[in-house]
Amino acid sequence: MIRLLVLVIMVAGALQAAQRPNIVFIFSDDHAQRAIGAYPDSFVPTPNLDRLAASGMLFENSFVGNSICGPSRATILTGKHCHINGYTKNYAPFDPEQPMFTGMLQKSGYQMAMIGKWHLTRRPPVGFDYYDMVPDQGHYYNPAFINAKGRYQEQGYVTDIITDKAIEWMGTHKDDPFMIMVQHKAPHRAWMPNLKYLTLYDDITIPEPDNLFDDYKTRTKAAHEQDLEIDSDMTLTSDLKVWELTEKRGSLWAWGPGRMTPEQKSVWDAAYGPKNKAFMDAKLTGKALISWKYQRYIKDYLRCVASIDESVGRLLDYLKASGLEKNTIVIYASDQGFYLGEHGWFDKRFMYEESMRTPLIMSWPGVIKPGSRATEMVQNLDYAPTFLDIAGVDIPTDIQGLSLMPVMKGQAKDWRDALYYHYYEGKHNWHAVARHDGIRTQRHKLIHYYTNKEWELYDLDVDPHEMNNLYGQEQVSSITTRLQAKLESVRKHYRVPPYELGK
Ligand code: SGN
Ligand code: CA
């Protein structure tokens, strides 16, 4: 009798394990919400991402806590803000032995795989049964990979190859609950497209953002002093691919077009050559030059996005054809947002909307209502507890994020009313953005540039593009006091150490 009971319990356990959903986490690098068709203020169609949104939930108010690659990834893995997980800046020392959702899911019986960009210092990634990753930032063309057997080189375009590898791995894991993290390099700088897309969008002009020629009036020193400008910080050679203007050598050449075979290179030359000649003949200056740079930049960026969208389509098609679709959650996210010319910028780092926002789309057949939209403010801090919740694993009490399960089910009550943000790299690092922290509520944003001893305050309802800093104005004195008190209480809640001034 007892034996029978044990058997029944074991079978029930196995059944429950079999029913746990697979998770396909598709993650890109620097993909702004505006460059996804399904987002409200988008300017580009992305048919496959839009298809994913139509079959699940689009998180309209999805954000990061520190808009930079490594720190965002560390937050995702730990469910903790950077001051707790230790990874405050790219290339900060990161303790891979600290609790991460990957190891917890693996221990609970999930098969774990990671393909593509990892970007956290220690290798190999911890908590995975299988990994095949690009070294550091990765290459676009004929990329190198590192797996358990060592480093080797592939032929082709990085986004396609990562997708091929993901599909191949899933083919061997049909019966397990599994999680695969498909982590793309694209559309990261220097925005090098698949050869077949080098002339996509050649026949159209992409609209410029209204604030491409922002003069930063009303904003504090930080906005004036950054190195994010398309005008002065984007290079005509490595970023904008007018290599005719310089010797084709050096590490940026070697990292990008220098990796192509002669056949690949001739396709590149045939596409960029005539466009570059027309540009050099035109001898543009001033605003006309900035407008030209914007067009070249945004088109190459969107060409990279076209490959990401294609990858999503191939993964969705595979899940359908293999029958995995009905018990698989598909998630699309990026490590942060990006400036696509807003404020005259590229890159990220600031707490302003374009880079604090990040895409988040999820489908889960039978649980998430197709075509739904969430307006709750969610953050990359929330992914780890969400994955644990999905897998039925207890969420450790020191995790700082919230499971998104109630939001996914349309049942969120008393959701958080403020997000915490903190950028640490500071003025002496890449792109020279001053350190700052702050909070974002549904209506307002308060930014504290603590090394500069300056503040900014925005009313997002009337000023969604953050052009009019209200801080210090009489009519906002009571809301300022309230927001500053809220910032203090949020800092306390997340156990943020005192400001490190002088950095
Ligand atoms: C590189 C880029 C920077 C970018 C950082 C961080 N320069 O250093 O523009 O901000 O990566 O990006 S590049 O000329 O080498 O492309 S992150 O996504 O890894 O955080
Ligand atoms: Ca990034």
Side-chain angles (χ1 to χ4, degrees), residues 14 34 70 140 178 192 203 218 221 260 296 376 419 432 479:
R34 253 177 23 95
Y140 274 107
F178 67 78
M192 287 182 245
D203 50 348
T218 80
K221 205 160 70 179
M260 288 190 269
R296 170 61 61 91
E376 288 83 359
L419 296 173
I479 181 70

Side-chain angles (χ1 to χ4, degrees), residues 23 47 56 59 81 97 149 172 215 267 292 341 359 384 434 467 481 489 496:
I23 306 173
F59 291 76
H81 274 298
E97 307 305 328
K149 292 192 205 122
T172 61
D215 59 6
V267 179
W292 183 88
M467 299 295 287
T481 311
S489 75
V496 186

Side-chain angles (χ1 to χ4, degrees), residues 29-30 69 73 117 188 335-336 348:
D29 195 334
D30 295 358
C69 182
R73 288 158 201 257
K117 182 172 169 181
H188 191 273
D335 62 348
Q336 14 60 213
K348 51 259 179 178

Side-chain angles (χ1 to χ4, degrees), residues 6-36:
V6 170
L7 194 70
V8 167
I9 291 172
M10 276 169 62
V11 170
L15 265 180
Q16 197 199 3
Q19 283 159 358
R20 293 198 296 171
N22 306 308
I23 306 173
V24 176
F25 180 70
I26 313 168
F27 191 60
S28 59
D29 195 334
D30 295 358
H31 195 176
Q33 285 182 357
R34 253 177 23 95
I36 292 182

Side-chain angles (χ1 to χ4, degrees), residues 187-226:
H188 191 273
R189 191 181 187 187
W191 320 293
M192 287 182 245
N194 191 324
L195 298 181
K196 70 180 178 185
Y197 288 137
L198 290 180
T199 54
L200 182 70
Y201 305 125
D202 264 4
D203 50 348
I204 59 166
T205 302
I206 312 270
E208 292 176 354
D210 291 344
N211 54 3
L212 178 63
F213 299 100
D214 194 354
D215 59 6
Y216 316 119
K217 218 168 88 197
T218 80
R219 265 60 53 76
T220 66
K221 205 160 70 179
H224 294 259
E225 290 185 346
Q226 41 57 40

Side-chain angles (χ1 to χ4, degrees), residues 20 38 78 83 116 162 224 290 303 324 350 364-365:
R20 293 198 296 171
T78 59
H83 59 276
I162 289 172
H224 294 259
I290 297 174
R303 289 164 182 148
L324 285 168
F350 272 109
W364 187 357

